[in-house]
Amino acid sequence: MTASEPTLAGADRRSPVLSIENLTVELAGEHGHVRVLDDVNFEIGARETLGLVGESGSGKTITALSVMGLLPKSARIPSGSIEMEGEQIVGCPLSDLQRLRGSRMAMVFQEPMTSLNPAFTVGDQIGETVRRHRGASRRAARARAVEMLDLVGIPNAARRVRSYPHEFSGGMRQRVMMAIALACEPALLIADEPTTALDVTIQAQLLDLLRDLQDQLDLALLFITHDLGVVADICDRVMVMYAGQVIEGADAETLFEHPEHPYTEGLLRAMPHIETRSGELFSIPGSPPAPLDRPPGCAFNPRCGYAEPTCTADAPPLRSIEPNHTTRCLLAEKLRLQGVQE
Ligand SMILES: Nc1ncnc2c1ncn2[C@@H]1O[C@H](COP(=O)(O)OP(=O)(O)OP(=O)(O)O)[C@@H](O)[C@H]1O
Ligand SMILES: [Mg+2]
């Protein structure tokens, strides 16, 4: 990045790449529809990386699938707006979604083997996006596939373009997924736990690659993980999700140094290299509520060591506690929550 380019986050606030407002999503369950996302709001600008963190079931993947228009057919979106480069995604025709997917927005999933087709070469699978979205010839698509494999760091790209997915290691497959996702130069890349299945060395290489690609392609990146260490490495801003809601949002440094929600404090204390004063590893007691079992008031109150009677009475809204820092904790001003230093 050059000195003249905007920093924090490089976000161009005037025209975010992705803008989500008041998004609520309900999915069909055994007992009718249940709310799995509740009033989610955020924006991502070009060259900005937004981290979405939270325990299993907090709604991270559902948020991503909502953006991609890939929710299960039974899903309902009772309210909310998702704008991709100004284009409304909620309720838009399938043909519009298909045009946007792959060309303007793309997603990389945790397990590449489930997204790659074992019956086609990786060259065919990269080329297919380029042919579909850009009407490229077979030859041009093949050339683009080689170029993309090279860009994502696959050695001997001209030869490997004829290989099948099973001929690659896990880390290499994830690179192939990035090549497919980025072949048409989308503005937004969603990476859903892209490195959790990989060992730490390969994980670090992929994160480096992602950062490089982001700079080269001016990508807006929505990075989903439950690993706060990865967040510290790669994200400009972070949003913490709990039980389908965003409960805290701030730039990454601020969130780590002084969290304003007890759940975030708990996540930070539970990071493997952070030890409590007694020297033991900490874990947040209890588990998140199922969508049908939300407690009254703050959804985190049954697990919160700071909870007071008011926390079970009122459902707290997300509010600003300082510029660019939001929290859903009613008590945030009076708590002195502990962060971590770099
Ligand atoms: N296809 C589905 N049908 C019904 N409910 C679903 C479906 N997919 C997810 N859910 C529910 O929606 C909620 C949010 O799930 P989501 O997959 O977004 O969690 P997540 O934060 O991505 O978790 P993880 O870290 O395990 O990937 C959970 O309560 C989950 O059980
Ligand atoms: Mg998920």
Side-chain angles (χ1 to χ4, degrees):
M1 205 177 265
T2 63
S4 61
E5 280 170 337
T7 50
L8 166 68
D12 181 349
R13 301 272 171 204
R14 287 157 304 173
S15 54
V17 173
L18 176 70
S19 174
I20 297 191
E21 273 176 35
N22 310 116
L23 181 65
T24 297
V25 172
E26 296 173 351
L27 295 180
E30 272 173 43
H31 309 286
H33 278 78
V34 290
R35 183 161 292 196
V36 292
L37 283 192
D38 188 9
D39 195 24
V40 170
N41 289 275
F42 63 86
E43 290 182 349
I44 315 180
R47 291 188 300 277
E48 185 178 30
T49 302
L50 176 66
L52 210 51
V53 296
E55 282 163 297
S56 188
S58 56
K60 306 181 298 290
T61 296
I62 295 294
T63 304
L65 296 179
S66 307
V67 173
M68 296 297 288
L70 291 173
L71 287 172
K73 279 213 167 50
S74 61
R76 292 198 303 224
I77 303 187
S79 69
S81 149
I82 303 173
E83 284 191 4
M84 175 65 210
E85 295 181 312
E87 223 176 306
Q88 182 57 247
I89 288 184
V90 177
C92 82
L94 184 62
S95 54
D96 286 350
L97 274 176
Q98 283 169 339
R99 171 175 50 79
L100 290 170
R101 260 186 240 141
S103 67
R104 303 310 303 150
M105 57 189 189
M107 185 160 166
V108 179
F109 297 86
Q110 175 176 348
E111 181 33 74
M113 238 5 215
T114 56
S115 335
L116 287 167
N117 189 328
F120 291 93
T121 66
V122 300
D124 283 341
Q125 294 182 63
I126 302 169
E128 215 268 322
T129 0
V130 190
R131 282 163 67 85
R132 178 154 35 98
H133 289 294
R134 293 192 170 168
S137 67
R138 201 168 273 280
R139 178 191 288 258
R142 176 51 60 103
R144 180 69 176 153
V146 174
E147 196 178 26
M148 288 310 297
L149 284 182
D150 201 37
L151 185 71
V152 298
I154 305 264
N156 300 319
R159 187 166 58 78
R160 294 315 298 273
V161 78
R162 287 190 293 273
S163 303
Y164 289 86
H166 72 268
E167 299 175 74
F168 290 86
S169 67
M172 288 289 177
R173 274 184 221 132
Q174 204 50 289
R175 287 174 189 255
V176 170
M177 284 308 298
M178 286 188 200
I180 294 175
L182 300 176
C184 291
E185 298 180 7
L188 171 72
L189 179 67
I190 302 179
D192 189 356
E193 308 264 9
T195 59
T196 37
L198 304 168
D199 70 57
V200 283
T201 320
I202 306 289
Q203 176 171 331
Q205 288 170 3
L206 273 171
L207 293 179
D208 278 349
L209 170 67
L210 209 48
R211 258 190 301 257
D212 277 0
L213 292 171
Q214 180 177 34
D215 271 356
Q216 285 181 47
L217 305 174
D218 282 351
L219 279 173
L221 184 57
L222 177 59
F223 194 93
I224 296 176
T225 180
H226 59 261
D227 185 340
L228 279 168
V230 171
V231 167
D233 251 14
I234 193 168
C235 297
D236 303 307
R237 274 191 303 134
V238 191
M239 310 238 307
V240 182
M241 290 192 77
Y242 188 77
Q245 294 180 321
V246 174
I247 54 96
E248 182 165 4
D251 70 77
E253 210 177 301
T254 306
L255 189 107
F256 276 75
E257 280 176 10
H258 65 102
E260 294 286 2
H261 196 290
Y263 178 60
T264 311
E265 183 191 54
L267 289 180
L268 292 172
R269 285 176 69 192
M271 281 172 74
H273 64 277
I274 309 291
E275 289 187 346
T276 56
R277 289 197 188 100
S278 63
E280 287 163 14
L281 256 182
F282 174 82
S283 76
I284 304 173
S287 50
L292 279 174
D293 277 334
R294 290 180 67 91
C298 166
F300 185 60
N301 85 70
R303 303 173 73 190
C304 181
Y306 305 103
E308 295 184 358
T310 176
C311 304
T312 57
D314 306 312
L318 190 70
R319 62 196 175 89
S320 274
I321 187 155
E322 60 179 337
N324 303 316
H325 195 163
T326 54
T327 178
R328 256 183 216 272
C329 180
L330 289 171
L331 310 177
E333 280 82 356
K334 70 176 195 190
L335 300 179
R336 298 185 64 89
L337 300 175
Q338 191 132 31
V340 296
Q341 303 300 321
E342 291 278 327

